[in-house]
Amino acid sequence: MLRFKRAEKTSFNERLLALHRWLQSGEGDYLLKAERRQLEQELHYIFGYHACQMTIAPGAGLLTTSQINHISLLNPSMASSMELARVLDDASCPDCDSLVLADPIHWPVSPGTLDLVLLHHVVEFSERPHRLLSEAARTIIPGGKLLVIGFNPKSLLNYWRWVSPKHRQLFQGVHLISPGRMRDWLTLLGFNVEKINYGAYMHPLDRHSKGLTRELVEQRCRQWNLPMGGFYMMVATRETPGMTPIRPAWSEVRRRFASNPIAGTSSCVGGSAGRES
């Protein structure tokens, strides 16, 4: 009887290290260029003072065209992975002012201090993706932006990994998160998802097609924004907490003469219920 050998479970650092090496290949470079093209279109409309990115490709220059001057890089690594820490420290980051090696689920960032956070292919490789999103969410100011770039489960790249040993090993132990589930998670964290863009539709079959055919297919699919790209980029804004109106001084006097039969909403009632976002 034919039996398949069960794949060994890999750690978060091992998966990130394998992805880092793959992104430096020709196939991974094509994906990075497509992602950088999508990012440049959004960064022109995002302003602020402080930005942070957590990416496994610090040398890709993903935030080079950002309007924000102060950019920090959080290298996603656990303290026990010296190999991954050495690889990320050696990689240059042309668009960063500071580099910090940090635990992905314990960010050394003060709450509500960042205008922009970019999560580049780290959520789906994490063992606790929702906790990673929570850490990123708490550092963003109200009205700040969160950009999430992840592999699309409904893409040629995901289907290709079942027939390609190299891709099957790359995505070993990785749980790809659909855009719908990612939207639900961000909504629970208090974000408003503005848009979802897709790209790299022909990846990884682009090297088997002619240049003109590949460009025409990519251009048409991007125009229609078909949800079948190799990656998706989600743009979300942290919602601004509601304001509690100040009661007029004569409200207490009026209550002495006539009771108000209509119960006020939570935004009009004092106390903790009216101050919660």
Side-chain angles (χ1 to χ4, degrees):
M1 181 177 179
L2 182 62
R3 295 184 179 181
F4 293 95
K5 183 179 179 181
R6 179 178 296 180
E8 298 180 358
K9 185 178 180 180
T10 57
S11 64
F12 176 67
N13 293 321
E14 291 174 345
R15 294 191 292 267
L16 290 185
L17 187 59
L19 177 62
H20 176 78
R21 293 170 177 171
W22 178 76
L23 288 176
Q24 292 185 346
S25 64
E27 188 176 351
D29 183 67
Y30 173 83
L31 181 69
L32 283 176
K33 289 180 179 178
E35 293 172 347
R36 193 184 302 112
R37 187 184 307 113
Q38 291 281 8
L39 272 172
E40 290 177 353
Q41 299 177 2
E42 297 297 330
L43 292 177
H44 289 294
Y45 305 100
I46 301 177
F47 302 91
Y49 297 98
H50 299 282
C52 178
Q53 60 175 326
M54 178 172 282
T55 173
I56 198 59
L62 299 175
L63 297 182
T64 303
T65 59
S66 175
Q67 306 295 324
I68 302 177
N69 296 327
H70 303 285
I71 301 176
S72 301
L73 170 67
L74 290 183
N75 284 337
S77 175
M78 307 294 288
S80 59
S81 178
M82 299 304 297
E83 182 180 4
L84 180 60
R86 183 171 58 255
V87 170
L88 293 178
D89 287 340
D90 294 339
S92 60
C93 183
D95 52 356
C96 298
D97 300 326
S98 61
L99 290 82
V100 180
L101 188 66
D103 189 330
I105 60 176
H106 296 95
W107 286 30
V109 182
S110 301
T113 56
L114 300 177
D115 302 277
L116 169 64
V117 172
L118 169 63
L119 300 178
H120 178 243
H121 292 305
V122 291
V123 180
E124 64 262 46
F125 283 77
S126 174
E127 297 176 356
R128 303 175 64 183
H130 194 272
R131 174 61 186 272
L132 194 154
L133 286 174
S134 300
E135 284 293 298
R138 73 174 183 84
T139 64
I140 302 176
I141 65 173
K145 301 290 184 178
L146 175 62
L147 304 181
V148 181
I149 297 180
F151 290 107
N152 186 13
K154 298 180 180 179
S155 63
L156 291 176
L157 178 61
N158 185 32
Y159 298 141
W160 185 255
R161 67 169 174 161
W162 300 110
V163 297
S164 173
K166 180 178 65 175
H167 290 82
R168 185 165 58 250
Q169 184 178 5
L170 174 65
F171 291 95
Q172 179 179 339
V174 178
H175 301 283
L176 301 186
I177 304 173
S178 65
R181 175 173 294 184
M182 183 68 70
R183 179 196 293 269
D184 294 339
W185 286 357
L186 293 181
T187 302
L188 292 175
L189 291 174
F191 283 84
N192 178 29
V193 178
E194 299 179 358
K195 63 178 67 174
I196 305 176
N197 297 327
Y198 299 86
Y201 289 90
M202 296 293 294
H203 192 66
L205 302 179
D206 55 282
R207 62 181 183 275
H208 301 294
S209 60
K210 297 182 180 180
L212 182 59
T213 304
R214 180 186 63 188
E215 293 299 329
L216 287 177
V217 173
E218 287 286 342
Q219 182 180 3
R220 294 300 183 185
C221 291
R222 286 198 304 266
Q223 289 178 352
W224 299 329
N225 198 29
L226 299 179
M228 298 179 297
F231 72 93
Y232 64 87
M233 184 181 69
M234 190 167 296
V235 182
T237 304
R238 186 172 185 180
E239 297 179 349
T240 304
M243 300 180 62
T244 302
I246 301 177
R247 295 180 178 179
W250 43 266
S251 60
E252 297 294 333
V253 179
R254 184 180 60 181
R255 189 176 294 111
R256 298 176 183 177
F257 298 93
S259 60
N260 187 4
I262 302 177
T265 61
S266 59
S267 60
C268 300
V269 180
S272 60
R275 291 191 294 268
E276 291 182 355
S277 57

